[in-house]
Amino acid sequence: MAAKPIYRVVVHQQGEIWDLYVREIFQSELWGFIEVEEFVFDDASRVVVDPATEKLQRTFDGVKRSYLPLNAIVRIDEVEREGPLKAVKTDARVAEFPRPFSLPPRGEG
């Protein structure tokens, strides 16, 4: 039997770009969200400790399923094997899509 595929999900989250690895991904019943399940983490016996990896492992420790808003997802790739979790600060201006716009005040224009 073939092994389950692994997906790398790149997400923009509060000024950071997160690389997450999951085994299950599908459209949520909640409108505007993608569901991800079965998070895949690197081997815990590694000698080198990366603070960003540790942060993401703590964030998703005990999480069975996560709902990610569509406008926060940068890309989704099916990969051969998991890689290191990453949380990289970014100064890039990532705009949500679709971006809501404000209506002009009533009585004007």
Side-chain angles (χ1 to χ4, degrees):
M1 185 168 112
K4 279 184 159 181
I6 297 176
Y7 301 96
R8 177 178 55 219
V9 182
V10 182
V11 180
H12 184 259
Q13 174 67 22
Q14 298 178 346
E16 294 182 336
I17 301 293
W18 290 0
D19 281 7
L20 306 173
Y21 290 87
V22 297
R23 291 201 184 273
E24 296 284 337
I25 185 166
F26 45 92
Q27 179 69 42
S28 176
E29 291 181 8
L30 294 172
W31 187 81
F33 288 85
I34 293 289
E35 291 183 40
V36 294
E37 295 180 351
E38 296 184 40
F39 290 90
V40 179
F41 300 111
D42 262 351
D43 184 14
S45 65
R46 290 180 41 205
V47 176
V48 179
V49 177
D50 180 15
T53 300
E54 293 292 320
K55 171 187 168 185
L56 289 177
Q57 282 182 334
R58 282 192 314 272
T59 300
F60 292 102
D61 185 38
V63 174
K64 178 181 175 184
R65 176 182 301 133
S66 189
Y67 298 86
L68 303 175
L70 285 173
N71 60 348
I73 295 175
V74 177
R75 77 185 278 160
I76 299 170
D77 299 318
E78 185 174 344
V79 296
E80 296 283 325
R81 62 177 104 51
E82 74 274 6
L85 298 176
K86 288 190 240 175
V88 180
K89 291 250 186 233
T90 180
D91 292 333
R93 298 184 187 271
V94 177
E96 295 91 15
F97 180 79
R99 183 149 180 106
F101 59 93
S102 59
L103 296 173
R106 288 184 170 223
E108 294 181 24

